[in-house]
Amino acid sequence: MSNSIRKWIFVLTVPVLVVGILGMMGGGAGHGVTLQSANVNFDDKASLQRGAKYYQNYCSGCHSLRFSRFNRVAKDIGLNAENGFSDDDVTTLLNENLIFIRGEDGKKVKVGSLMKTAYNPKAAAEAFGASVPDLSLVGRSRGADWIYSYLNGFYLDPSRPTGMNNTVFKDVGMPHVLGNLQGWQTLDHNKGDEHHGAPKLSLSKPGSMTGAEYDKLTRDITNFLAYVSEPAQLSRKMYGIFTLLFLMVLFGFAYALSKEYWKDIH
Ligand code: HEC
């Protein structure tokens, strides 16, 4: 193979590899809407613990986290021996605060179980006109700022079946499950330019929490969901990188082999 062809192969392959690797590391799509900053912090274990508890109370009825096990999550969010929690403590804490689903025997599922939903996905699809997505990777696919903006972005819209719409998820099928806490917002069309800058929402009916309390709650849930997608994301990224390395090695062998085949033919 001539040097110039070799050069071209190099020039063409490198950008593809770079784009591939960057693509896997990237994630998070903003879709042109200005997002609020979630400022997530995985070192804030108290926030992760509150987030897990809120998630289980308000979200797990519909959404699953199918790659997460209760006891693994407990460890990661700081309920571990390092912080003075014995296995028995963790089992008790999990049963009191996080585990609500029951197995076929009617008993609460074991601490090593996956964080599935109590809801039947088919019934959910019928009820909401949208299937209920698993949220294991949403921290990566949407990004933390998107989740935070989503949880803060519900507003009243009588034209929708749920009576609600959302600033970052147009015509969303999910009801505003935290409405009684946040209160009910309306979209203010007259203020600001919707296409440039954050949409303006105003609280038309207050909820049981203040704005600051609600922001803290949604930040904790976002922190938890962003953490949850990390371990799954790490393994996903590794597969991608191994695949690319494998292809590079394969390319090397194929190239050497082809050279071997053609060496006597001129
Ligand atoms: C009553 C059932 C229900 C509950 C409870 C619920 N959701 Fe949802 N959620 C849905 C449905 C249905 C959708 C899909 C909406 C659509 O596709 O239009 C959804 C979509 C989402 C999405 C967007 C996922 C994506 O990438 O498209 C996020 C994020 C989300 N929910 C987070 C939450 C959080 C956090 C909670 C708890 C505070 C929660 N949900 C509680 C039903 C629910």
Side-chain angles (χ1 to χ4, degrees):
M1 202 182 293
S2 79
N3 259 347
S4 71
I5 297 184
R6 220 175 286 164
K7 207 168 84 195
W8 272 109
I9 291 182
F10 182 75
V11 166
L12 291 174
T13 343
V14 166
V16 170
L17 291 179
V18 169
V19 168
I21 291 174
L22 287 182
M24 283 184 302
M25 295 184 157
H31 300 296
V33 183
T34 308
L35 299 177
Q36 293 166 265
S37 176
N39 291 324
V40 291
N41 175 7
F42 298 160
D43 293 331
D44 186 349
K45 299 294 182 212
S47 160
L48 287 177
Q49 287 166 19
R50 288 192 302 268
K53 190 168 172 176
Y54 298 141
Y55 178 85
Q56 282 305 107
N57 277 286
Y58 295 114
C59 322
S60 72
C62 292
H63 292 283
S64 56
L65 295 174
R66 66 196 153 111
F67 301 130
S68 302
R69 295 182 186 278
F70 289 104
N71 52 359
R72 167 68 201 270
V73 165
K75 239 186 184 167
D76 288 351
I77 64 178
L79 306 176
N80 49 33
E82 236 172 79
N83 292 327
F85 294 97
S86 70
D87 283 355
D88 285 347
D89 294 339
V90 173
T91 303
T92 312
L93 278 169
L94 282 175
N95 277 313
E96 282 173 2
N97 297 297
L98 293 187
I99 300 182
F100 307 122
I101 47 176
R102 288 173 191 275
E104 279 169 7
D105 55 5
K107 287 192 191 142
K108 283 196 176 183
V109 297
K110 296 254 157 56
V111 293
S113 306
L114 290 169
M115 298 175 72
K116 292 200 187 129
T117 156
Y119 216 82
N120 171 343
K122 262 200 199 139
E126 275 170 27
F128 306 113
S131 56
V132 186
D134 179 84
L135 295 183
S136 305
L137 294 174
V138 75
R140 294 305 297 176
S141 62
R142 299 287 204 175
D145 291 350
W146 187 92
I147 301 174
Y148 181 63
S149 306
Y150 173 69
L151 295 176
N152 285 282
F154 283 92
Y155 65 89
L156 292 164
D157 179 354
S159 73
R160 299 293 309 149
T162 58
M164 298 305 293
N165 213 322
N166 192 284
T167 51
V168 296
F169 193 144
K170 194 175 177 310
D171 296 346
V172 67
M174 175 172 139
H176 186 19
V177 295
L178 303 172
N180 288 332
L181 305 177
Q182 182 187 26
W184 306 92
Q185 306 186 107
T186 38
L187 184 63
D188 204 337
H189 286 285
N190 300 321
K191 280 189 214 152
D193 182 353
E194 260 180 76
H195 301 288
H196 303 96
K200 295 273 182 295
L201 295 170
S202 46
L203 202 60
S204 54
K205 187 168 173 264
S208 61
M209 285 185 163
T210 64
E213 284 168 344
Y214 183 75
D215 288 352
K216 191 168 167 216
L217 171 102
T218 50
R219 182 164 281 126
D220 290 340
I221 296 178
T222 304
N223 201 11
F224 174 67
L225 283 176
Y227 138 72
V228 157
S229 71
E230 280 299 302
Q233 180 238 139
L234 282 181
S235 55
R236 197 177 44 133
K237 231 191 249 173
M238 287 312 287
Y239 288 136
I241 290 169
F242 278 129
T243 308
L244 287 176
L245 286 177
F246 173 76
L247 288 175
M248 274 154 83
V249 170
L250 191 69
F251 174 79
F253 278 119
Y255 179 62
L257 195 65
S258 118
K259 240 175 123 180
E260 183 65 25
Y261 278 146
W262 289 94
K263 72 174 179 208
D264 297 328
I265 302 168
H266 294 291

